Each structure stands twice: as C-alpha cells, then as structure tokens.
C-alpha cells in the first residue's frame, strides 16, 4: 500500500482527448486533489498526509480550465501541458515554440514537449540539440519534460543518444512516449534512459528526472516502474521532483488495489 501511495504522489493525471471539455477537466482536477477515497486513507492513517497527484496534464487550450479548477479547490498542484507539436512533432519549429510560449502564458508550470523523430532517424544530432535548446528557452521558468517517443527511434542506441542530447540541451525530465505511439513505455527502454540519466549525473552533477508514459494501466505496472527506478537510480529519484508516471487510467486500479 505504501508503494502504491508513492506511485500516486508521482503521477501526472492526464486527459489528452479530442473531446476534452472544461467540465471533464474540472472533474479530473478534483480527483487530482482527492486521488484516494477518504475512508481508505483513514484506514491506513494517511488521511492527514496531503496525498495528491504530482500534476495534471492537458492540452494548451485546456490549461486555463485546469488552473481555474485547481485554484478553486485551494491546492497548488501544478498544471502541465503538452506542447511543441504533440504528438507527432511534425510542425515547423517556430509554430512549436509559439505553442510552448502560449501554454506558459495560460498558466502551465510544466511543459511536455516532443522531439522531431526524423532528426534522430537521420542522425542530425546537432539540429536535435538546437531544437530542444530553443524549446527550453521558450519554456522560461516552466519545467520542461522532453518526450523521446522511444518506440519510433529505431534502436536502443538512438534512445541513449537522444536521452543524452535532451539532457545536454537543458531538459528537466526525459519522458518515454506520448502515449499515442504503437509502442509506448517498456522496461528495456526505461533501463537505457535511466542509465543515460545516471551517466549524465556522474559527468555533470545534474539530476534529471524520468517519466515513463503510455500503457501504464495497472498497479502492478506502477510498482514495476518504481522498483526499476529504485534499482537503477536510487531512492533519491523516487520523488515527484525527479520521477513521474504518465497515466490516464492507472489511478482507478491503484485505488482498487489499496481497498483490498
């Protein structure tokens, strides 16, 4: 149960659907503040520990709705927004940068950008660095999570290189997937990305966060990722500042498992 509650506090509660409306964003924000039923928390003597999710994640057009709902609920959960040509990355750079800036203006405190996979597949590493660097600049004070879309990078070697370049360009987090690819977060890819994070930390002293996303639907999946982070990066990474789980349907199963 303790591990499952830890997973909840590291979760980016997400809705990224074409039919998102202010009302379903408001409902998600209420759930973000009250992720686990009060009676279950009381049974574990955790009702007064302020258990909430780490952030809520929406499209730029829904950022204002989320900010308003969370403010009305009296909580300081940050709003994250996907931007920068999500999910394909196939937009002109200037358009992607403008979208990032708008999301920040709307009140997003975290930005989940997505890389242009073509630059990886054609070996244009300097161009990839420069694009991510400009996205970092556009984010301003907002934290930037860089989505690598690992299922579309062709090889684990490319995953490692893209991870290192994303961190060199100033990413606060590196993230596996958009959740829209055929292949999303997998444990082997997670190992490669975490070892890149570890190598980067050893070389620079900078800790970069890790976020698996896509296909993480069960409490068992969440525990697997927590264990992997614990083994590869250590207990200091098991906090919302350095580890997030991207999830839209995971919370329901965690609540069910906690109730047992």
């Amino acid at each position: 149960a303790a591990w499952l509650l830890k997973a909840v506090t590291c979760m980016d509660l997400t809705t990224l659907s074409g039919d998102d409306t202010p009302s379903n964003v408001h409902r998600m924000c209420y759930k973000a503040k009250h992720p686990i039923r009060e009676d279950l928390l009381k049974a574990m003597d955790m009702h007064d520990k302020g258990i909430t999710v780490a952030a809520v994640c929406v499209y730029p057009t829904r950022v204002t709705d989320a900010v308003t709902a969370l403010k009305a609920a009296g909580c300081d959960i940050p709003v994250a927004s996907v931007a920068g040509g999500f999910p394909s990355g196939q937009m002109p750079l200037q358009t992607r940068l403008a979208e990032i800036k708008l999301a920040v203006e709307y009140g997003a405190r975290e930005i989940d950008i997505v890389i242009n996979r073509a630059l990886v597949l054609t070996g244009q590493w300097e161009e990839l660095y420069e694009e991510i660097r400009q996205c970092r600049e556009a984010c301003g004070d907002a934290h930037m999570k860089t989505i690598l879309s690992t299922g579309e990078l062709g090889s684990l070697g490319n995953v490692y290189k893209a991870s290192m370049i994303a961190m060199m360009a100033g990413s606060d987090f590196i993230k596996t997937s958009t959740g829209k690819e055929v292949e999303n977060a997998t444990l082997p890819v997670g190992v490669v990305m975490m070892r890149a994070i570890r190598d980067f930390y050893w070389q620079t002293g900078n800790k970069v966060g890790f976020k698996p996303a896509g296909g993480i639907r069960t409490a068992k999946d969440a525990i697997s990722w927590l264990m992997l982070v614990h083994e590869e990066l250590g207990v200091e990474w098991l906090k919302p500042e350095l580890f997030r789980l991207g999830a839209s349907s995971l919370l329901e199963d965690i609540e069910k498992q906690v109730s047992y």
Side-chain angles (χ1 to χ4, degrees), residues 219-259:
K220 186 177 179 181
D221 293 336
I223 294 293
S224 295
W225 283 106
L226 287 165
M227 291 293 106
L228 189 59
V229 171
H230 186 273
E231 291 300 313
E232 290 292 329
L233 296 173
V235 70
E236 67 232 68
W237 255 265
L238 286 175
K239 55 187 179 182
E241 293 80 12
L242 290 170
F243 176 64
R244 297 288 179 85
L245 282 162
S248 53
S249 56
L250 171 63
L251 185 55
E252 184 180 345
D253 190 60
I254 286 181
E255 195 170 32
K256 188 188 302 180
Q257 298 304 319
V258 168
S259 70

Side-chain angles (χ1 to χ4, degrees), residues 131-202:
E131 286 201 357
I132 298 173
R133 187 197 65 77
Q134 289 188 48
C135 289
R136 170 64 268 178
E137 196 174 278
C139 285
D141 292 334
H143 277 225
M144 186 175 82
K145 308 189 198 91
T146 300
I147 306 170
L148 303 181
S149 296
T150 54
E152 297 177 350
L153 295 189
S155 71
L156 291 177
N158 280 345
V159 170
Y160 183 88
K161 288 179 186 176
S163 297
M164 292 298 286
I165 286 171
M167 291 185 286
M168 290 164 62
S171 303
D172 297 293
F173 269 75
I174 52 174
K175 176 178 169 183
T176 60
S177 323
T178 65
K180 310 292 186 182
E181 298 93 349
V182 174
E183 182 180 282
N184 293 293
T186 65
L187 295 175
V189 157
V191 170
V192 171
M193 291 175 68
M194 287 183 220
R195 292 190 178 174
I197 288 171
R198 193 168 64 191
D199 290 347
F200 187 77
Y201 173 59
W202 285 345

Side-chain angles (χ1 to χ4, degrees), residues 23-226:
S23 59
N24 76 293
V25 170
H26 288 178
R27 285 195 299 273
M28 183 182 71
C29 289
Y30 178 83
K31 189 64 175 173
K33 185 182 180 184
H34 308 280
I36 303 293
R37 287 191 347 241
E38 188 74 9
D39 61 311
L40 297 178
L41 290 175
K42 282 183 177 177
M44 294 181 284
D45 197 26
M46 294 293 289
H47 58 287
D48 58 352
K49 299 298 190 290
I51 300 289
T52 71
V53 301
V56 296
C57 185
V58 295
Y59 278 116
T61 49
R62 299 271 74 91
V63 167
T64 305
D65 298 327
V67 170
T68 301
L70 290 168
K71 187 176 180 180
C75 64
D76 194 40
I77 299 170
V79 175
S81 177
V82 293
F86 181 93
S88 69
Q90 296 281 8
M91 284 186 185
L93 179 59
Q94 293 309 312
T95 304
R96 285 182 270 151
L97 296 175
E99 186 181 27
I100 291 167
K101 290 174 183 176
L102 277 174
V104 173
E105 283 178 24
Y106 293 156
R109 286 156 54 188
E110 301 180 1
I111 301 292
D112 289 31
I113 70 157
V114 59
I115 67 168
N116 179 351
R117 278 76 98 189
L119 296 179
V120 174
L121 296 171
T122 55
Q124 298 180 72
W125 301 110
E126 290 182 13
E127 290 83 353
L128 178 65
Y129 170 87
E130 183 56 26
E131 286 201 357
I132 298 173
R133 187 197 65 77
Q134 289 188 48
C135 289
R136 170 64 268 178
E137 196 174 278
C139 285
D141 292 334
H143 277 225
M144 186 175 82
K145 308 189 198 91
T146 300
I147 306 170
L148 303 181
S149 296
T150 54
E152 297 177 350
L153 295 189
S155 71
L156 291 177
N158 280 345
V159 170
Y160 183 88
K161 288 179 186 176
S163 297
M164 292 298 286
I165 286 171
M167 291 185 286
M168 290 164 62
S171 303
D172 297 293
F173 269 75
I174 52 174
K175 176 178 169 183
T176 60
S177 323
T178 65
K180 310 292 186 182
E181 298 93 349
V182 174
E183 182 180 282
N184 293 293
T186 65
L187 295 175
V189 157
V191 170
V192 171
M193 291 175 68
M194 287 183 220
R195 292 190 178 174
I197 288 171
R198 193 168 64 191
D199 290 347
F200 187 77
Y201 173 59
W202 285 345
Q203 291 172 34
T204 68
N206 294 327
K207 293 180 180 177
V208 174
F210 173 69
K211 178 179 175 182
I216 304 171
R217 297 187 176 89
T218 67
K220 186 177 179 181
D221 293 336
I223 294 293
S224 295
W225 283 106
L226 287 165

